[in-house]
Amino acid sequence: MDKTTVIIADNSEEFCAALAAALQRTDRFEVVGIANDGEQAMRMINERKPDLLVLDLMLAKQDGISILKGICNMDHRPATLATSGFVTE
């Protein structure tokens, strides 16, 4: 069985490490990249062509919405799970 390749793009190193560890404990996922800002995420998506992207909408350098717009034009678009740590009272 082929593993689903995953890129995690989030500015929280703790979240990235925890999610990567949880995904890799299964035999269904392979984390092929972790990006801590939007520019790094776009480079990884273009280079590694993941099956799945876990994307924080509030990234530095290039936000998640810009990344979503960018991947819309790709031949190999990863399925995307958008997340946000935005908190307000």
Side-chain angles (χ1 to χ4, degrees):
M1 169 172 57
D2 289 334
K3 291 185 177 186
T4 300
T5 58
V6 182
I7 288 179
I8 303 168
D10 194 289
N11 60 5
S12 169
E13 292 180 19
E14 293 165 357
F15 174 77
C16 291
L19 181 57
L23 290 172
Q24 295 185 146
R25 277 194 295 269
T26 74
D27 60 352
R28 298 183 65 197
F29 298 98
E30 177 184 3
V31 177
V32 296
I34 295 175
N36 297 118
D37 67 57
E39 289 177 358
Q40 183 182 32
M42 279 304 295
R43 278 193 307 275
M44 284 185 182
I45 294 163
N46 283 314
E47 293 168 2
R48 300 175 190 178
K49 302 187 184 345
D51 301 313
L52 176 64
L53 170 64
V54 179
L55 176 65
D56 183 2
L57 296 178
M58 304 293 283
L59 289 171
K61 297 186 182 178
Q62 184 175 355
D63 67 28
I65 300 298
S66 297
I67 292 171
L68 288 171
K69 289 177 182 176
I71 64 176
C72 283
N73 299 321
M74 293 180 169
D75 291 332
H76 180 83
R77 288 183 297 271
T80 304
L81 173 65
T83 65
S84 180
F86 183 73
V87 179
T88 183
E89 293 180 20

